[in-house]
Structures are given as structure tokens and as C-alpha cells.
Amino acid sequence: MSAHDPLFDFTARTVLVTGGSRGLGRETVRAFAARGANTIIVSRRLDRCEEVAGEIEAMGRRAWPIACNVSDWSEIDALVYKVRDRVGSIDILVNNAGASPLAPSSIETSEALFDKVLGLNFKGPFRLIALLGAEMAAGRGGAIVNVSSLGAIRPLPVYAPYAGAKAALNAITEAFARELAPNVRVNAVMPGRFLTDISHAWSDEVRENRTVALERSGLPREIVTAILYLASDASSFTTGSVIRVDGGAP
């Protein structure tokens, strides 16, 4: 696929990706840029955003690095203002930022950890969709893709708050699909286990992921393909959907 592929041509479109400086977010930014898009790279560390922006500009695309803690509504409000001021408007929002810190047990889960997990994985995406989605709906429309997790429907005790946050993200995907229709489509990708930089700390058994039908973990590009589809005109009759990309998890 390239910028000339009619199914995945994002030429002249602007994409904002949260958590865009590393892992799946970075792969997503690069994939959109390779297919013609200009990109806004958002994460907490500006230096990492700038590093990715340099890669994108070397590809001949425009890129804007912006630092933002997307679990903080005041920082999200500032982010939206910066986007208006520097870029104007966006066509695609990818809510990718997230984290799943583990806790020894539910009773040992602190309030600070609980609030942090829900803030990053649920509260932040809600606010971003509310603000940017409203602007997209009032303008030329667009697409929003939320990155959920298989944990939303296959929760484990060690990451129960994360699973709950992702389940809530699935719920608001459908709610916003109705609220922002017909000009803005809102969908979600629900990945299973896939290999990014954080997977280097996993055990061999976890990395191998033999319990799924395909008997392996996924690669970031295999998740990105689903994101590209939901952001593209090829999915023009798809909204409010949550697509599993998990290798056939039981």
C-alpha cells in the first residue's frame, strides 16, 4: 500500500495520534505519513515527539510535535487550542495513548493508580472526542479510531482497572458514533497481544502467545492495518464498531 492506493490514500489529510512517539503510536504515525497524511504527534515528552516529527518530515510530510498529558483535561484543552492555532483542523483522531500497570491484587490497588489508569485510558479519550469530534462534525467531518484492548472483554484481576477503562472506551465508541453522526465516524480497534518495545520485558511464554488460534503474538503493522481501514473511506459505512485484532483469542 502507498499514498496512491485508492483504499488507503490519506493525501492532504491531517491525523492526530496520541501516544504517537513510541510503540504502536509511532508505527501508526509512520503508516499514515507513508500514505500521504500530515501528522500531529502527541505524547507527554516533547523530545520524543520531535524525534518522530523529524522522521515524518524526512518522508516529505508535515508534522507537528505537541506535548500533552492526555489524562489531564486542562492539558487537553490547551492541546486543542494549539491544534487550532498551528494546524487549523484535523480529519482523523487516533486515541492510542494508554497504559496497563499491574497491581498485586484489587485490595492493594491504590486510588492514585486507579485514577491514573482511568484518566489515561478513558477520561482523556472522552474529552478529546468531545472537543475535537464536535469541531470535526461542525466542519468537514472525519473519522475517529479508539485503540481499546482485548482486556475489555477478557479481564484479569491484575489489570482490572485497565480492563474496566477499556470496556468504558468501547461503550463511548458507540455513544459518540451516534452523537457525531453522520459527519464523523467513530470506531475502535481491540488488539490482543502484540510485540512492541515493551514486550522485551515479557517472558518467552507470554511473547509466544500459543493459546490463540494463530499461535503467536501480533506485529504492530498488523494492528495498524485495522486502524488505517477504520480511518479510511473504505470503511465509509462502518461506525460504532469495535473490531477484534487478536489472532483468534479464546
Side-chain angles (χ1 to χ4, degrees), residues 81-121:
Y81 176 82
K82 290 174 183 177
V83 170
R84 288 196 203 111
D85 183 55
R86 300 178 189 178
V87 185
S89 61
I90 68 169
D91 302 286
I92 299 163
L93 167 64
V94 180
N95 278 311
N96 166 73
S100 57
L102 306 181
S105 68
S106 295
I107 199 169
E108 295 174 88
T109 300
S110 68
E111 183 178 11
L113 176 62
F114 185 93
D115 290 345
K116 177 181 178 180
V117 170
L118 265 69
L120 183 58
N121 294 286

Side-chain angles (χ1 to χ4, degrees), residues 49-243:
C49 294
E50 291 173 337
E51 179 184 342
V52 179
E55 296 176 10
I56 302 308
E57 289 171 347
M59 297 167 64
R61 313 298 181 201
R62 297 194 68 185
W64 296 270
I66 303 178
C68 177
N69 177 359
V70 295
S71 65
D72 186 322
W73 278 20
S74 64
E75 290 200 31
I76 289 175
D77 293 350
L79 167 65
V80 172
Y81 176 82
K82 290 174 183 177
V83 170
R84 288 196 203 111
D85 183 55
R86 300 178 189 178
V87 185
S89 61
I90 68 169
D91 302 286
I92 299 163
L93 167 64
V94 180
N95 278 311
N96 166 73
S100 57
L102 306 181
S105 68
S106 295
I107 199 169
E108 295 174 88
T109 300
S110 68
E111 183 178 11
L113 176 62
F114 185 93
D115 290 345
K116 177 181 178 180
V117 170
L118 265 69
L120 183 58
N121 294 286
F122 174 54
K123 186 176 78 170
F126 178 91
R127 183 63 171 171
L128 267 174
I129 299 172
L131 295 178
L132 291 176
E135 292 188 0
M136 294 163 71
R140 59 178 181 261
I144 297 171
V145 183
N146 297 320
V147 179
S148 181
S149 167
L150 184 65
I153 61 171
R154 300 288 186 271
L156 291 175
V158 291
Y159 56 73
Y162 173 77
K166 290 301 190 181
L169 183 62
N170 289 354
I172 64 168
T173 294
E174 183 170 350
F176 276 116
R178 292 178 176 273
E179 180 176 343
L180 301 177
N183 290 337
V184 178
R185 296 181 301 103
V186 186
N187 294 286
V189 172
M190 193 160 59
R193 195 174 299 163
F194 64 97
L195 304 175
T196 62
D197 48 350
I198 64 171
S199 65
H200 297 309
W202 297 350
S203 68
D204 290 341
E205 181 181 1
V206 171
R207 285 175 58 86
E208 289 173 0
N209 199 23
R210 296 293 185 184
T211 62
V212 303
L214 297 184
E215 298 184 350
R216 64 178 177 85
S217 294
L219 300 174
R221 60 178 173 79
E222 294 175 304
I223 313 299
V224 169
T225 304
I227 295 172
L228 292 173
Y229 165 70
L230 292 173
S232 74
D233 294 339
S235 62
S236 58
F237 197 56
T238 302
T239 195
S241 294
V242 180
I243 297 179

Side-chain angles (χ1 to χ4, degrees), residues 8-54:
F8 297 96
D9 185 356
F10 296 98
T11 301
R13 299 190 194 184
T14 300
V15 183
L16 187 154
V17 181
T18 66
S21 66
R22 59 181 296 181
L24 180 63
R26 186 173 190 162
E27 294 294 328
T28 300
V29 167
R30 291 181 59 84
F32 274 110
R35 291 157 179 83
N38 300 315
T39 57
I40 303 168
I41 303 112
V42 177
S43 76
R44 286 181 298 176
R45 289 186 52 177
L46 182 60
D47 59 335
R48 288 182 175 174
C49 294
E50 291 173 337
E51 179 184 342
V52 179

